[in-house]
Amino acid sequence: MNGTHVLIILGGFVDVEKYRYIYFVILLIVYVVIICCNCTIICLIWIHRNLHEPMYFFIAALSLNSLFYSTAFYPKLIVDVLSHQQSISHAACMFQMFCFYTLAASDFFLLAAMAYDRYVSICKPLQYATIMCTTNVAILLAFAWLLPAIKVGLAIYFNTKIKMCKLVSGGIFCNNSVNKLQCMKPQILTIYTVFVFINCEILPVLFILYTYIKIFIISYRRCGRAWKKAAETCLPHLMVLICFSCLVMFDVVVDKLESDLPKTTRLIMMLQIVMYNPLFNPIIYGLKMKQIWIHIKLLFGSRSKSNPARPAR
């Protein structure tokens, strides 16, 4: 079958007819919360000048990724649960895969850029303004978005050329499990996929861990105050890194053990993939980043007990 004009059946939902409106309400509420939380973070960073720093620009970029990521999945999921048949065209399926893996890889690169920013700020404070200038921040952002898009885009393009032998997927959206529907996957494409995975996910994670180890070692050798500052600024990034790592772990488990997992377990894991990071990313940064939390309290009419100085306009 030519993959261009076929419909892929998404058979991952459990008892859609029975729980249709429960699915609808949950997905709609989560999507609205994701949009509101991430838009709040982006707007606060855009409006307030004291948040116009590299670290907050990277946080805004992560929130922007979460918006794109959620919009690539939630509207389709909401329509699916209200439909009698959950299906997706091959082209739309490939687009979902492109968004999923490009934005996930971009998140890892952004976290790596944030780790480097913290390293320069804590370990090389006198050189911070020179190293993390506006031009270098723009280059890091462009690199974090363009490199994954190019590498993942090539893999998706070659996937579109492969014929489909099956049309029923066990998922609720398109990820690597769709490859099991193909008649045969060329060995060279498998090797390239592993290459992209190592370059876009494994290497950034290793760089992040190495950077944070260096930060904690250098901070430990200084005074206790430096250690506390390092922990306060690095902890949110590490928490988000754990979230992204769980996303990758769930995707790998669902892909490798799809036939062995109970349908309900598979559904729960796939829902976590689309809910976990976009939902908790802004919450983590909103609660753990002091300056963002101050602006959130001011936005909703709360006054801090410490009576913080009014941010510059």
Side-chain angles (χ1 to χ4, degrees):
M1 287 175 286
N2 190 328
T4 306
H5 304 290
V6 300
L7 281 179
I8 297 173
I9 307 301
L10 301 172
F13 284 102
V14 177
D15 294 330
V16 180
E17 297 293 334
K18 183 177 181 181
Y19 301 112
R20 182 185 309 278
Y21 296 107
I22 296 177
Y23 285 136
F24 171 76
V25 171
I26 293 174
L27 290 171
L28 182 61
I29 291 175
V30 171
Y31 184 47
V32 170
V33 172
I34 288 173
I35 295 295
C36 292
C37 290
N38 284 284
C39 284
T40 299
I41 297 294
I42 294 171
C43 290
L44 287 175
I45 293 172
W46 178 271
I47 292 171
H48 298 287
R49 289 185 179 274
N50 67 329
L51 299 181
H52 289 185
E53 298 177 4
M55 178 177 62
Y56 297 108
F57 289 146
F58 294 133
I59 291 174
L62 281 173
S63 290
L64 191 61
N65 271 10
S66 294
L67 290 177
F68 290 147
Y69 177 88
S70 302
T71 303
F73 292 97
Y74 278 89
K76 180 67 172 69
L77 289 173
I78 291 171
V79 170
D80 279 344
V81 298
L82 295 178
S83 303
H84 293 290
Q85 185 183 63
Q86 294 72 47
S87 62
I88 186 171
S89 69
H90 185 263
C93 186
M94 292 297 104
F95 178 73
Q96 274 196 345
M97 285 181 63
F98 172 77
C99 291
F100 179 80
Y101 292 106
T102 296
L103 294 173
S106 177
D107 283 338
F108 281 109
F109 278 109
L110 288 171
L111 286 172
M114 293 168 72
Y116 180 68
D117 172 77
R118 292 300 85 202
Y119 170 77
V120 176
S121 174
I122 294 172
C123 303
K124 300 182 179 180
L126 298 179
Q127 302 176 44
Y128 182 81
T130 302
I131 297 175
M132 299 303 296
C133 63
T134 304
T135 301
N136 289 342
V137 171
I139 291 172
L140 288 173
L141 287 172
F143 182 84
W145 278 318
L146 293 178
L147 185 64
I150 293 171
K151 289 186 175 182
V152 175
L154 282 174
I156 298 299
Y157 172 76
F158 290 119
N159 266 291
T160 60
K161 304 300 181 181
I162 303 175
K163 291 183 179 181
M164 309 286 289
C165 285
K166 300 177 183 178
L167 296 178
V168 180
S169 169
I172 59 175
F173 61 86
C174 294
N175 62 350
N176 264 334
S177 60
V178 174
N179 294 335
K180 296 180 180 179
L181 307 181
Q182 297 169 345
C183 300
M184 182 182 66
K185 188 171 183 178
Q187 187 69 25
I188 187 67
L189 185 55
T190 302
I191 295 172
Y192 178 73
T193 302
V194 174
F195 169 78
V196 172
F197 177 77
I198 293 173
N199 276 266
C200 292
E201 296 183 9
I202 300 298
L203 291 182
V205 169
L206 292 177
F207 175 80
I208 292 167
L209 295 177
Y210 171 78
T211 304
Y212 283 145
I213 290 172
K214 292 282 290 184
I215 289 173
F216 289 132
I217 290 175
I218 293 174
S219 300
Y220 182 76
R221 290 174 180 173
R222 296 177 182 175
C223 61
R225 186 176 179 182
W227 170 262
K228 183 179 179 181
K229 179 184 176 183
E232 287 177 351
T233 57
C234 294
L235 181 61
H237 309 323
L238 289 174
M239 292 173 67
V240 173
L241 177 63
I242 292 171
C243 291
F244 289 140
S245 299
C246 289
L247 180 149
V248 175
M249 180 186 69
F250 287 157
D251 181 59
V252 170
V253 170
V254 171
D255 181 32
K256 299 301 180 185
L257 303 178
E258 181 177 358
S259 58
D260 300 324
L261 290 173
K263 194 172 182 179
T264 302
T265 303
R266 187 169 66 245
L267 173 64
I268 293 172
M269 293 182 71
M270 296 196 79
L271 284 175
Q272 287 188 72
I273 291 174
V274 293
M275 289 182 180
Y276 204 42
N277 294 321
L279 188 60
F280 287 104
N281 178 36
I283 294 176
I284 289 172
Y285 284 120
L287 294 178
K288 293 296 183 181
M289 300 300 291
K290 183 178 179 180
Q291 290 300 319
I292 294 179
W293 177 236
I294 288 173
H295 287 297
I296 289 175
K297 290 195 291 185
L298 291 174
L299 179 65
F300 290 99
S302 264
R303 294 189 177 274
S304 174
K305 293 181 180 180
S306 58
N307 193 21
R310 186 180 297 275
R313 295 186 178 181

